[in-house]
Amino acid sequence: MNVAARKHEHEAVRLAKRLRHQVGQAIADYNMIEDGDRVMVCLSGGKDSYTLLDMLRRLQAKAPVRFELTAVHLDQKQPGYDPDVLPAYLRGIGVPFHVIEQDTYSVVRRVVPEGKTMCSLCSRMRRGALYMFAAREGFTKIALGHHRDDIVETLFLNLFHHAALKAMPPKLQSDDGRHIVIRPLAYCREADIAAHAGHEGYPILPCNLCGSQENLQRKVVKAMLADWERLQPGRVENVFRALTKISPSQLADPALFDFAALGTRGAGADAHAWLRDNAADLT
């Protein structure tokens, strides 16, 4: 092995260690995995989910708790999909797995008008199928491959398009209360994941559901963040860290912090009384 090859190998090992450390830190910070957990790792066939499975396997060997890992993949019946790729890979590394078959492709193509973004409907249908399977099989945690950049992008998408200050939490409970969803890659940079996936040579499955159509709004936000990072390296990391240091009293949500009671000396404010004359002026 020549000098360049040795250097590349050394960098790849360091990167894998850094990713493993970040995943372990996220798991510890949010108590993502407990003793006896049966973790369903959602494997799409992309770089993120492959890296997620890889890091969880590496941590499983030395973790302070015992837990099971099972890879679960959803075959959406997309044109050109090769059903043999993932099973062959998972058998090769000795990971238990299930492949769910559901023709979401036909549904999405039928329901969404030509030229419209299909990602939202596809995502909801995929999530529904995975949640149903998790409930039926008794998995205690559902692991998704969203990383730090996904979380920051979602923050700005919600801010710009939905007037809401929210992102993707590293750990959440599903709306029906039946599932705990974890995102162990929450501290990991997408660029690091891409580099790691390239070194490992994962058999990537492209998303051909809509010709690899990308959510246009997310694409704009991703470009904006990339520009910020070029101008000021570390800015995206600072945005993510801000999500972990929330000061409710320094924002403006009266449901999150009781501004009305702050410094009051008597009865609370009566909104109707304050707005009565204003309402008359507007007629």
Side-chain angles (χ1 to χ4, degrees):
M1 184 182 293
N2 59 35
V3 175
R6 286 199 300 270
K7 181 179 179 182
H8 178 73
E9 183 68 24
H10 177 68
E11 290 174 350
V13 170
R14 288 185 60 192
L15 174 58
K17 287 182 178 179
R18 181 163 71 248
L19 288 170
R20 187 173 69 247
H21 174 79
Q22 290 170 338
V23 171
Q25 189 67 59
I27 290 173
D29 287 349
Y30 295 94
N31 193 26
M32 292 183 182
I33 297 176
E34 300 172 275
D35 191 59
D37 266 339
R38 300 184 62 230
V39 182
M40 182 177 107
V41 183
C42 297
L43 192 65
S44 68
K47 68 182 190 311
D48 305 331
S49 60
Y50 275 121
T51 300
L52 171 64
L53 179 62
D54 184 3
M55 292 302 125
L56 289 177
R57 289 181 68 228
R58 295 180 189 224
L59 287 167
Q60 186 182 35
K62 297 182 179 180
V65 297
R66 293 179 301 168
F67 61 95
E68 299 177 15
L69 292 175
T70 301
V72 176
H73 173 69
L74 176 62
D75 175 1
Q76 299 178 264
K77 302 303 177 184
Q78 302 172 19
Y81 170 81
D82 187 341
D84 298 323
V85 172
L86 274 178
Y89 172 78
L90 293 168
R91 290 191 189 101
I93 62 174
V95 171
F97 68 93
H98 295 276
V99 176
I100 309 168
E101 297 186 12
Q102 183 170 317
D103 189 1
T104 61
Y105 173 79
S106 297
V107 175
V108 172
R109 298 295 298 184
R110 184 178 69 250
V111 172
V112 179
E114 190 69 28
K116 296 294 184 180
T117 300
M118 304 175 186
C119 302
S120 179
L121 175 60
C122 179
S123 177
R124 290 198 302 273
M125 295 181 67
R126 185 169 62 247
R127 183 168 59 247
L130 291 169
Y131 279 14
M132 287 180 61
F133 184 80
R136 186 168 70 245
E137 297 297 320
F139 289 104
T140 57
K141 300 287 170 59
I142 300 175
L144 302 180
H146 298 119
H147 45 67
R148 184 206 66 178
D149 298 68
D150 288 324
I151 294 172
V152 174
E153 289 164 15
T154 302
L155 168 69
F156 284 104
L157 284 169
N158 283 318
L159 184 65
F160 294 159
H161 300 285
H162 303 289
L165 195 60
K166 62 180 182 179
M168 290 176 172
K171 181 181 181 182
L172 65 85
Q173 187 172 42
S174 60
D175 292 340
D176 61 9
R178 301 175 68 187
H179 305 287
I180 297 297
V181 178
I182 59 175
R183 296 183 169 102
L185 298 180
Y187 292 168
C188 302
R189 297 169 61 243
E190 182 175 17
D192 288 344
I193 292 171
H196 173 75
H199 177 78
E200 294 294 323
Y202 298 134
I204 304 297
L205 294 179
C207 177
N208 295 319
L209 176 61
C210 39
S212 295
Q213 177 190 48
E214 189 172 3
N215 183 303
L216 297 181
Q217 293 174 349
R218 184 173 288 275
K219 186 176 181 180
V220 170
V221 169
K222 185 183 287 289
M224 179 193 75
L225 295 175
D227 286 341
W228 283 3
E229 195 67 17
R230 279 192 295 269
L231 292 171
Q232 185 176 338
R235 180 175 287 186
V236 174
E237 177 64 21
N238 283 340
V239 173
F240 177 79
R241 290 175 61 190
L243 290 172
T244 70
K245 298 179 180 180
I246 304 297
S247 299
S249 65
Q250 305 303 304
L251 298 175
D253 187 347
L256 191 63
F257 184 82
D258 193 359
F259 292 98
L262 196 64
T264 57
R265 297 188 301 276
D270 182 350
H272 294 291
W274 278 99
L275 297 174
R276 189 177 301 122
D277 291 342
N278 291 338
D281 293 341
L282 294 174
T283 58

